[in-house]
């Protein structure tokens, strides 16, 4: 009987280890920490909501003034730097948080912390947009919320009110937020009624297309936490208002066609799309550049602002970001692509103990430094943009 507790302990230990352990590429650092994080994700979505929606850290950049207001009816959180705008103009940044168009809040967690840091270190007025999300709404509502807030932000009245330099206004976002940032950036760039445009788009492992879920990065990283291939496909179907029973149909790529006229020759040469046109006709959002900015034509991309694109090797969205960076470059846009060989999707958000990763801290530091430090001009082409 004395052995029973020992046997039970051993069995429990082995069971937990079996549940937690997943094979990871050698280039990923702090592997057991990532395994534990992933186990939490698989156990309960409550952990996800805690990470993306934990209470803000008021101890970070305490001099930054934070206000919850609305821009043209859209809820936003406004961050004003302690330096003020007296006698000089400040930078401006609009930020869209990630979370698969279904989770998270820019007011909380790492998003709030990073926006406070950006406001304080860059002397920037940061506006984090609380766009509507699934399940209450589907595409294009989140995009339209972001576009409405962006146009309001870029108005002469608002720029003057917050002493923002109209030549140094940026738009940024991570993951689904990167999708929204790219789409809004394109629309703003093409709108001749607007006198002020964004000077830079900073895209953090953005999701940019839903026509091909068999790109090399989707296949190579389909089992790499924290964004598994089936989960990203599910996020897309939720966003586009598609019946979730069609997940297997989309997983096998039977939803797109090389023959569709909206697919540009440049993009057709980079993607191996197969299947029928049936799903495309039933889900027109698949080919809408407002949902899939990667599909925009070269005439649109050529007008887009300079870009900072952060990609991670171990991320299903790696190729989305790299293809977009290449297409922007081909269109004549200046692009800086920071690629992290040891990076995984979501690492940008994990910068606070105990869920902090070295690659996350490096990515955050590079994101901030490469937005303003003129000494990095040889490395970061976006210096001085905001």
């Amino acid at each position: 009987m004395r052995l029973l507790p020992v046997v039970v302990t051993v069995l429990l230990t082995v069971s937990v280890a079996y549940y937690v352990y997943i094979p990871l590429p050698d280039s990923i650092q702090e592997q057991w920490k990532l395994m534990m994080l992933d186990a939490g994700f698989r156990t309960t979505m409550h952990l996800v909501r805690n990470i993306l929606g934990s209470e803000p850290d008021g101890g970070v950049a305490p001099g930054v003034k934070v206000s919850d207001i609305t821009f043209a009816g859209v809820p936003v959180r406004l961050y004003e730097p302690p330096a003020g705008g007296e006698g000089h103009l400040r930078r401006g940044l609009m930020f869209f948080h990630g979370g698969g168009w279904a989770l998270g809040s820019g007011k909380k967690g790492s998003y709030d912390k990073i926006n406070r840091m950006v406001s304080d270190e860059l002397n920037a007025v940061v506006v984090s947009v609380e766009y509507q999300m699934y399940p209450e709404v589907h595409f294009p509502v989140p995009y339209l919320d972001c576009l409405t807030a962006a146009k309001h932000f870029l108005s002469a009245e608002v720029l003057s009110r917050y002493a923002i330099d109209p030549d140094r206004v940026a738009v940024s976002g991570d993951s689904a937020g990167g999708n929204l940032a790219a789409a809004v950036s394109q629309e703003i760039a093409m709108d001749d009624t607007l006198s002020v445009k964004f000077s830079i788009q900073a895209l953090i492992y953005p999701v940019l297309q839903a026509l091909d879920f068999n790109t090399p990065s989707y296949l190579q990283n389909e089992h790499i936490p924290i964004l598994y291939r089936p989960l990203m496909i599910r996020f897309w179907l939720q966003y586009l208002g598609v019946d979730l029973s069609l997940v297997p149909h989309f997983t096998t790529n039977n939803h797109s066609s090389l023959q569709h006229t909206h697919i540009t020759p440049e993009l057709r040469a980079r993607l191996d799309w197969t299947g029928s046109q049936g799903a495309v006709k039933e889900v027109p959002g698949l080919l809408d550049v407002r949902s899939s900015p990667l599909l925009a034509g070269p005439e649109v991309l050529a007008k887009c602002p300079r870009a900072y694109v952060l990609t991670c090797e171990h991320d299903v969205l790696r190729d989305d970001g790299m293809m977009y960076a290449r297409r922007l470059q081909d269109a004549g846009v200046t692009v800086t692509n920071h690629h992290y060989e040891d990076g995984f999707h979501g690492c940008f958000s994990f910068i606070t103990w105990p869920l902090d990763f070295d690659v996350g801290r490096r990515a955050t530091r590079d994101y901030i430094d490469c937005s303003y430090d003129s000494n990095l001009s040889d490395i970061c082409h976006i210096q001085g943009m905001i």
Side-chain angles (χ1 to χ4, degrees):
M1 294 298 292
R2 294 179 180 178
L3 290 177
L4 182 59
V6 176
V7 172
V8 171
T9 300
V10 170
L11 289 175
L12 285 175
T13 301
V14 171
S15 298
V16 170
Y18 179 80
Y19 180 74
V20 170
Y21 178 78
I22 54 174
L24 294 173
D26 292 339
S27 57
I28 292 182
Q29 301 178 26
E30 303 172 281
Q31 293 195 1
W32 276 103
K33 186 184 291 186
L34 182 56
M35 290 179 199
M36 293 296 293
L37 176 65
D38 177 66
F41 271 63
R42 286 184 279 120
T43 301
T44 173
M45 286 301 291
H46 179 66
L47 175 61
V48 180
R49 295 183 183 278
N50 279 346
I51 292 171
L52 296 179
S54 58
E55 289 305 310
D57 186 354
V60 176
V64 172
K65 178 183 177 182
V66 179
S67 308
D68 292 325
I69 58 176
T70 60
F71 271 16
V74 179
V76 302
R77 169 158 286 192
L78 181 73
Y79 301 82
E80 298 178 75
E86 300 80 5
H88 62 278
L89 296 178
R90 305 180 289 192
R91 300 173 173 88
L93 171 65
M94 176 155 279
F95 181 80
F96 307 134
H97 69 82
W101 308 283
L103 301 168
S105 167
K107 294 181 179 182
K108 299 178 179 181
S110 59
Y111 293 130
D112 179 78
K113 180 176 182 177
I114 293 172
N115 284 332
R116 288 172 185 265
M117 292 168 59
V118 169
S119 180
D120 184 46
E121 296 186 32
L122 299 187
N123 190 33
V125 176
V126 179
V127 178
S128 180
V129 179
E130 292 294 292
Y131 55 88
Q132 300 174 80
M133 297 186 294
Y134 175 88
E136 285 73 24
V137 299
H138 304 282
F139 172 80
V141 176
Y143 163 81
L144 294 175
D145 280 354
C146 293
L147 180 62
T148 297
K151 289 184 176 180
H152 185 78
F153 188 39
L154 294 171
S155 68
E157 177 186 356
V158 172
L159 295 177
S160 175
R161 181 188 309 160
Y162 296 108
I164 298 172
D165 185 344
D167 293 325
R168 295 191 298 170
V169 187
V171 62
S172 178
D174 74 308
S175 194
N179 168 286
L180 295 167
V184 167
S185 180
Q186 290 179 5
E187 179 64 26
I188 295 295
M190 295 297 291
D191 191 338
D192 293 332
T193 67
L194 299 175
S195 58
V196 178
K197 312 279 188 176
F198 288 118
S199 61
I200 180 176
Q201 52 181 322
L203 312 177
I204 313 303
Y205 34 69
V207 50
L208 299 168
Q209 59 85 27
L211 280 174
D212 191 1
F213 296 124
N214 280 342
T215 61
S217 62
Y218 264 107
L219 297 179
Q220 293 166 7
N221 300 302
E222 62 178 333
H223 301 304
I224 301 297
I226 57 176
L227 184 62
Y228 294 100
R229 181 169 172 262
L231 179 59
M232 188 63 249
I233 294 173
R234 184 182 182 89
F235 279 146
W236 263 117
L237 299 195
Q238 291 176 169
Y239 184 44
L240 297 177
V242 180
D243 188 338
L244 295 182
S245 66
L246 294 177
V247 167
H249 186 72
F250 279 70
T251 301
T252 55
N253 252 25
N254 290 329
H255 65 285
S256 55
S257 171
L258 279 168
Q259 305 305 316
H260 202 285
T261 57
H262 286 83
I263 299 174
T264 65
E266 294 88 351
L267 199 53
R268 186 181 295 114
R270 291 181 173 83
L271 294 177
D272 180 20
W273 290 330
T274 60
S276 67
Q277 296 187 29
V280 171
K281 291 180 180 179
E282 295 175 9
V283 190
L286 284 171
L287 291 174
D288 193 322
V289 295
R290 298 175 302 170
S291 72
S292 299
L294 186 60
L295 302 183
E299 72 284 356
V300 175
L301 300 179
K303 291 190 175 184
C304 286
R306 290 171 284 182
Y308 175 85
V309 183
L310 186 155
T311 53
C312 294
E313 180 66 20
H314 308 293
D315 180 6
V316 294
L317 302 180
R318 179 195 69 206
D319 295 345
D320 279 27
M322 288 186 164
M323 284 189 289
Y324 195 56
R326 179 59 183 272
R327 294 202 69 222
L328 286 169
Q329 287 179 322
D330 290 347
V333 177
T334 300
V335 177
T336 293
N337 178 200
H338 267 180
H339 182 69
Y340 295 85
E341 292 290 343
D342 57 340
F344 56 91
H345 192 85
C347 65
F348 185 74
S349 296
F350 299 118
I351 59 173
T352 303
W353 188 90
L355 298 177
D356 59 323
F357 289 81
D358 177 69
V359 65
R361 292 190 295 271
R362 282 185 281 117
T364 301
R365 190 72 264 156
D366 290 343
Y367 166 74
I368 296 175
D369 289 345
C370 289
S371 295
Y372 76 102
D373 192 341
S374 60
N375 294 324
L376 298 176
S377 58
D378 292 335
I379 303 174
C380 305
H381 298 299
I382 64 170
Q383 53 83 22
M385 291 184 186
I386 67 171

